[in-house]
Amino acid sequence: MKITLHRPNQIGGCITEIESSKGTKIFIDLGHNLPRGDEEAPDEYASIEAIAELTKGAKAFFYTHIHGDHIELFKYVPEGIDQYVGPLAHKLMVAKYKHMTYADDLKENSLLCLKKLEPFKKYHKGWNITIDDIIVTPFQVSHSASDSYMIRIKCDGKTVLHTGDFRGHGYMGEGIYKVIDKFHIAGHVDVLITEGTNIDSKGKSMRHEKELKKEFMDLFHKYKNTFIICSSTDADRLESIYGADRDGAKRPFIVDSYQKELLQLISEHAEEGRQLYHFGRQKIYSYNPENWKMDYMMKKYGFVMLIRNSPKFQEYLDKILEFCKPEETCLVYSMFHGYIDNSEGNTAFNPSTFRFVEQFRERGCVVEEREHTSGHASKQDLIRLCQQVNPEIIVPIHKDENADIKSILPNELKSKVCEYRYGKDGIEIVFDPQQKYHASCWCEAVGATSKGYYLYGEAETK
Ligand SMILES: [Zn+2]
Ligand SMILES: [Zn+2]
């Protein structure tokens, strides 16, 4: 078995290639490089020709989740190669591209993406999929994108576990450890390919989503009007916000029609008998600027409103902020702080998002920036995972170039780390020799292009 890791030493742009000794080839993820601030990142694979060359002879693609740095290049995959993703993930992608067709400059690309999404196959947690002599099994994990998975690959009598992006401090964060037990994965993995976003985390918040929910509850009581900027597809954050309002102040919960559709889709896939992710038990309103009764309700009772940095929301804000007293109004910025940190040298800085946030300060409203937590595994969770799985080889990917996983692992695991070429017992691992572009260490995965990200607020949450 040969494993080729493309761009392992950068956050985003993930591509993992696995080929059996009989020549069966599959891919896990086909991600685009992350945008820098409000500029789209260059990507040497972003063309039909480059992907045709890269994926020559491939039988199937398995995407761990819908963040652009794991899936965005799907549109270049030649016809006839199966592409698999989670069932809810697929619906969320279709919803996103449908809404993007309304923006003239995104329409052409969105229509192409919708066409490419049509033949996608859906995998299901715990179900095996056989691709010739390779067996693939996805298992659900907690991450800042709904419907995220880690993937087990059995090939040539060996087992590979690819974590995708995951975290232990979301509502379903313990799930990964339970699955590893339930499916007898521990002790039976030859190669563990793990994300390492937070190996080098400096000052990043790793609080549990539950803590955020409590803080949101306090804010919704304290301020009559709360606007929130958050990722549209992060079911955990949406649960923290929606649940805080439902179980607390019960202010009218306002979104736009796109966010409402996403909430409905997530609800449809929520587990019966659990409270999590059932959006809609408290009414969700879709904002309509023509509806004076809605403005009246918001004026009278206050509100919790999810917003994104887009011209449409700017129009809504210009209207709504007119009737909000600044001292009763709060904006919660519930995303990676790097996007609005204008200190010199911060390549993540997004001037447009910054201005969008600053207008609230200029109007005298309160801006809260604390209600955020990483979408990725903490150091403790990375250690716990490596200890529990106890594989033969540990391969960190999706990490800053200089992040050293050995520096955080206990001694007995350090010797298992493999970051350069490997070849032993029928396993060959190749680390992309042609890495031309390195995303800087700041970044969280962002949705489609930077433009799409502005409009559709899909950012991962670092
Ligand atoms: Zn992600
Ligand atoms: Zn990612």
Side-chain angles (χ1 to χ4, degrees):
M1 169 176 57
K2 182 178 174 187
I3 302 170
T4 308
L5 299 148
H6 300 272
R7 315 196 274 210
N9 293 312
Q10 63 177 53
I11 296 175
C14 293
I15 306 173
T16 300
E17 188 179 336
I18 296 176
E19 188 173 0
S20 76
S21 57
K22 289 183 182 151
T24 309
K25 195 195 282 184
I26 63 161
F27 279 80
I28 311 295
D29 288 342
L30 198 59
H32 195 291
N33 283 327
L34 289 162
R36 294 174 164 186
D38 54 1
E39 289 167 26
E40 203 176 328
D43 193 318
E44 70 267 30
Y45 291 130
S47 72
I48 292 174
E49 298 75 24
I51 291 297
E53 179 63 29
L54 177 74
T55 65
K56 222 182 248 173
K59 281 275 168 70
F61 288 80
F62 292 86
Y63 299 109
T64 57
H65 64 288
I66 59 170
H67 282 146
D69 63 319
H70 296 256
I71 197 168
E72 182 65 17
L73 298 172
F74 76 93
K75 63 187 175 192
Y76 302 117
V77 171
E79 268 176 41
I81 306 180
D82 288 337
Q83 300 192 73
Y84 290 84
V85 72
L88 170 58
H90 184 257
K91 286 184 188 166
L92 294 173
M93 285 190 68
V94 170
K96 179 180 91 171
Y97 287 113
K98 268 193 184 153
H99 279 266
M100 279 169 116
T101 59
Y102 300 132
D104 287 341
D105 51 342
L106 301 174
K107 189 172 180 173
E108 199 183 329
N109 178 57
S110 306
L111 289 172
L112 166 78
C113 290
L114 284 169
K115 206 168 163 35
K116 291 297 261 186
L117 280 166
E118 269 173 36
F120 260 56
K121 296 190 171 183
K122 274 70 88 184
Y123 56 61
H124 298 276
K125 58 182 176 185
W127 290 22
N128 291 341
I129 296 167
T130 304
I131 310 288
D132 294 343
D133 53 335
I134 297 180
I135 301 171
V136 175
T137 320
F139 302 102
Q140 217 158 18
V141 295
S142 172
H143 178 47
S144 49
S146 296
D147 214 21
S148 295
Y149 296 81
M150 68 174 169
I151 294 183
R152 183 181 66 190
I153 304 105
K154 290 192 170 190
C155 172
D156 290 344
K158 307 284 182 192
T159 301
V160 179
L161 188 67
H162 188 302
T163 66
D165 289 352
F166 79 100
R167 63 175 182 168
H169 52 282
Y171 290 111
M172 309 292 275
E174 280 295 307
I176 190 165
Y177 306 111
K178 289 181 187 159
V179 158
I180 287 166
D181 265 346
K182 187 178 163 197
F183 287 84
H184 309 292
I185 294 170
H188 298 102
V189 172
D190 296 281
V191 184
L192 172 67
I193 301 172
T194 179
E195 75 128 302
T197 318
N198 286 328
I199 292 171
D200 232 2
S201 62
K202 293 180 196 104
K204 267 183 241 157
S205 170
M206 304 288 171
R207 292 184 297 155
H208 198 282
E209 281 288 339
K210 279 182 204 161
E211 257 184 77
L212 264 58
K213 181 181 170 184
K214 280 195 203 118
E215 291 177 10
F216 278 120
M217 283 177 107
D218 293 344
L219 288 172
F220 301 162
H221 279 297
K222 189 172 172 190
Y223 298 100
K224 186 179 172 195
N225 316 308
T226 309
F227 296 96
I228 301 172
I229 301 173
C230 67
S231 161
S232 314
T233 56
D234 180 349
D236 276 10
R237 188 60 43 83
L238 295 166
E239 172 66 35
S240 297
I241 296 166
Y242 178 81
D245 191 34
R246 179 197 57 211
D247 301 341
K250 294 187 174 49
R251 301 205 187 269
F253 195 82
I254 320 277
V255 297
D256 71 332
S257 58
Y258 170 62
Q259 182 71 72
K260 189 168 178 179
E261 186 184 350
L262 299 185
L263 288 165
Q264 274 167 352
L265 289 172
I266 297 168
S267 292
E268 285 164 17
H269 286 255
E271 245 176 76
E272 282 302 323
R274 297 187 78 139
Q275 193 167 8
L276 286 172
Y277 317 127
H278 287 283
F279 304 112
R281 288 179 179 168
Q282 181 195 330
K283 191 169 167 56
I284 295 171
Y285 297 90
S286 175
Y287 187 71
N288 175 0
E290 311 293 322
N291 183 349
W292 66 267
K293 281 186 187 166
M294 186 169 290
D295 288 340
Y296 176 78
M297 174 183 72
M298 290 166 77
K299 246 182 258 181
K300 188 162 181 199
Y301 302 106
F303 55 86
V304 171
M305 183 174 187
L306 306 187
I307 57 170
R308 298 186 302 276
N309 173 17
S310 75
K312 179 181 80 177
F313 272 103
Q314 190 57 56
E315 265 179 47
Y316 292 175
L317 284 178
D318 290 342
K319 188 162 180 281
I320 298 167
L321 283 169
E322 282 300 303
F323 61 75
C324 294
K325 288 185 189 154
E327 65 276 17
E328 293 177 346
T329 305
C330 171
L331 167 77
V332 182
Y333 177 79
S334 186
M335 282 168 70
F336 175 47
H337 190 258
Y339 298 137
I340 55 165
D341 176 3
N342 62 350
S343 47
E344 219 179 292
N346 172 25
T347 51
F349 178 60
N350 187 316
S352 169
T353 307
F354 177 77
R355 284 193 298 273
F356 191 69
V357 169
E358 282 306 295
Q359 67 177 317
F360 287 87
R361 266 192 251 275
E362 283 158 16
R363 284 175 184 262
C365 306
V366 174
V367 176
E368 282 282 345
E369 300 172 34
R370 247 176 58 78
E371 280 63 39
H372 177 61
T373 187
S374 175
H376 296 274
S378 63
K379 289 179 198 176
Q380 292 74 16
D381 278 308
L382 287 173
I383 296 166
R384 184 174 166 190
L385 179 86
C386 291
Q387 281 179 322
Q388 191 190 4
V389 174
N390 195 21
E392 293 298 318
I393 307 160
I394 297 168
V395 181
I397 61 167
H398 198 281
K399 67 177 190 67
D400 174 27
E401 194 179 1
N402 302 315
D404 178 14
I405 196 169
K406 280 187 206 155
S407 69
I408 65 163
L409 290 179
N411 282 338
E412 69 272 17
L413 291 173
K414 283 191 207 299
S415 60
K416 299 185 174 203
V417 174
C418 168
E419 292 178 280
Y420 304 98
R421 192 168 249 287
Y422 179 92
K424 211 174 155 189
D425 300 331
I427 299 173
E428 185 188 354
I429 306 177
V430 178
F431 291 79
D432 185 12
Q434 293 180 332
Q435 195 165 352
K436 293 174 194 156
Y437 167 79
H438 297 282
S440 48
C441 62
W442 52 268
C443 215
E444 261 319 279
V446 177
T449 59
S450 50
K451 179 72 185 290
Y453 154 63
Y454 291 141
L455 292 174
Y456 295 98
E458 243 207 9
E460 249 188 85
T461 46
K462 188 159 182 169

